[in-house]
Structure formats: structure tokens, C-alpha cells
Amino acid sequence: LIGAPNLYAKEATEQTRASKLDSYIKFTQILNLIETQYVDEVNTSSLIDKALKGLMSNLDAHSVYMDAKSFSDLDIQTKGEFGGLGIVVGMRNGALTVIAPIDDTPAHKAGVKASDIILKIDKQATIGMTIDEAVKLMRGKPKTPIQLTLIRKGEAKPVIVKIIRDIIKIESVKTKTINDDILYVHISSFDAKVTKEVKKALVAHPQAKGL
């Protein structure tokens, strides 16, 4: 029995490998069936991308698969300046939901609120729409109009908000002092300017006894 633990570990490893292989084969077989038997012609690359997005979205709320276009959009946003409305959106219970409007942006000024559910973007319903698709619709040339139909807690009817797009310059770090000796630092988004702006705030308030 001295060698039993090693034997069990080896068997477990082989079972895991076999299980993984079965899973890979299953995925390949289903993909092949869709390609050969589905009523319409399908794009294999698109199918794989959608499968990966579904895989990542089922891990947790912060994991996501990005294609080149999605990564480019994220890169633009993290630089702290882009065209659009000025809202952070996400999926909650399958509904496109406003996580938060960004301060001093068109959406914020128009009265969009956190937890608003976006029912329509202009005349297009958001049911079944991905976040990427929604963001693409909401972004656009500055000074162009857009209409959001929102479901808001406490409101009996959908709320219609008309917004004029603008260049969104995110002021990611805001500061104020409390009782003259406590520095309050508010970080609204983690973009490329956060570190620099926080350091600047600390240097500008050397008298602060607390943060």
C-alpha cells in the first residue's frame, strides 16, 4: 500500500485528461453539426467568438472575452476620452442596466440614474442585445441626438430621455477637503490618468492628516 497514493493520483490525472478530451470532442462535434446541418450558412469564427463570450460571462461578472474591436473600444475608454453619452452599463438579470452615469456628462445632465434599465436605444429594443452592441449604438458623433427608453424603479411608465452626444472627457479623480484636514479622493473610473491625478491631489494637499 505504500505506493497507493501515487497510484490514485495517477488514475485521477488520467481521468481528468479523459474528461477534458471528451469535452473537447463534444464541442467539436456540436460545432461540426451546426456547420453541416444548420438551415442557414454560419460563420465558424463568429460561432467560436460567441461561444467564448458565453464561456467567460459564466465565470463571474468581471470576466469577458474581447475580440480586436472590443479591445480597441476598451483602449479608447481607458485613455479617459471618447465620444458618447457618459454612462457605465452592464447586464443585470439579463437586462441592459445603467451601473452609473458619469458626472458632468450628457447622460448625467439628462437625468439618467444608476439602476435604470435601458429598454430601447432610439427605436431599437435591447432584448437579446450584448453590451458591445449597445455601446456601439450609444456612441456616435458629437452633437448628434439619441433617445433612451428607461424602466425606472418607482415609475409606472417607461421614462424617455433625450440626450445629445458629446466628447466624454472623464475626470476620473475628484478631491475635496473635510474639516480642512481630511482629504477626500473620489475615483470614478480606473483609466490611464488615475495614478497621475491621485499623486497630484496628494501633493496639492500636504496639510491633510487623513485620507
Side-chain angles (χ1 to χ4, degrees):
L1 294 176
I2 294 175
N6 290 335
L7 179 61
Y8 294 151
K10 183 178 179 181
E11 289 180 351
T13 300
E14 289 176 351
Q15 288 174 358
T16 300
R17 288 175 180 168
S19 177
K20 284 183 177 181
L21 182 59
D22 287 343
S23 297
Y24 296 148
I25 291 172
K26 182 195 297 183
F27 181 82
T28 304
Q29 288 175 334
I30 292 174
L31 184 62
N32 184 60
L33 279 173
I34 294 172
E35 290 173 332
T36 57
Q37 303 294 327
Y38 189 64
V39 63
D40 295 323
E41 187 176 344
V42 294
N43 183 299
T44 302
S45 179
S46 177
L47 285 176
I48 295 294
D49 281 349
K50 289 177 180 178
L52 291 172
K53 287 178 181 179
L55 168 69
M56 299 301 288
S57 67
N58 279 282
L59 292 178
D60 57 64
H62 308 288
S63 298
V64 62
Y65 168 74
M66 290 185 176
D67 55 21
K69 175 65 170 57
S70 300
F71 181 78
S72 177
D73 290 342
L74 177 67
D75 189 46
I76 290 170
Q77 184 169 336
T78 53
K79 287 177 180 175
E81 182 174 323
F82 53 92
L85 309 182
I87 52 175
V88 178
V89 295
M91 286 293 179
R92 288 184 177 173
N93 299 320
L96 184 65
T97 306
V98 176
I99 304 302
I102 301 170
D103 292 344
D104 301 321
T105 61
H108 180 259
K109 294 173 183 176
V112 176
K113 297 181 179 180
S115 297
D116 282 349
I117 295 173
I118 303 176
L119 187 64
K120 289 183 180 179
I121 301 172
D122 285 328
K123 294 183 179 181
Q124 190 165 341
T126 61
I127 297 174
M129 187 180 293
T130 66
I131 292 177
D132 289 344
E133 290 168 343
V135 169
K136 186 176 180 179
L137 286 176
M138 289 188 286
R139 285 184 180 169
K141 293 182 179 180
K143 309 307 177 186
T144 57
I146 185 172
Q147 179 175 291
L148 300 182
T149 303
L150 310 171
I151 296 177
R152 181 173 293 164
K153 188 176 181 180
E155 298 287 345
K157 296 182 179 180
V159 176
I160 295 177
V161 178
K162 295 181 179 179
I163 307 172
I164 303 297
R165 294 181 180 91
D166 203 351
I167 295 295
I168 306 301
K169 294 183 178 180
I170 300 178
E171 189 177 350
S172 53
V173 179
K174 290 186 176 182
T175 61
K176 66 179 180 180
T177 54
I178 302 173
N179 298 330
D180 296 327
D181 59 357
I182 302 296
L183 177 63
Y184 176 84
V185 181
H186 177 198
I187 298 175
S188 59
S189 65
F190 287 92
D191 57 36
K193 299 184 292 184
V194 166
T195 302
K196 179 181 177 182
E197 293 300 317
V198 169
K199 286 181 178 179
K200 187 188 295 184
L202 296 175
V203 170
H205 298 84
Q207 78 284 359
K209 295 180 181 179
L211 181 63

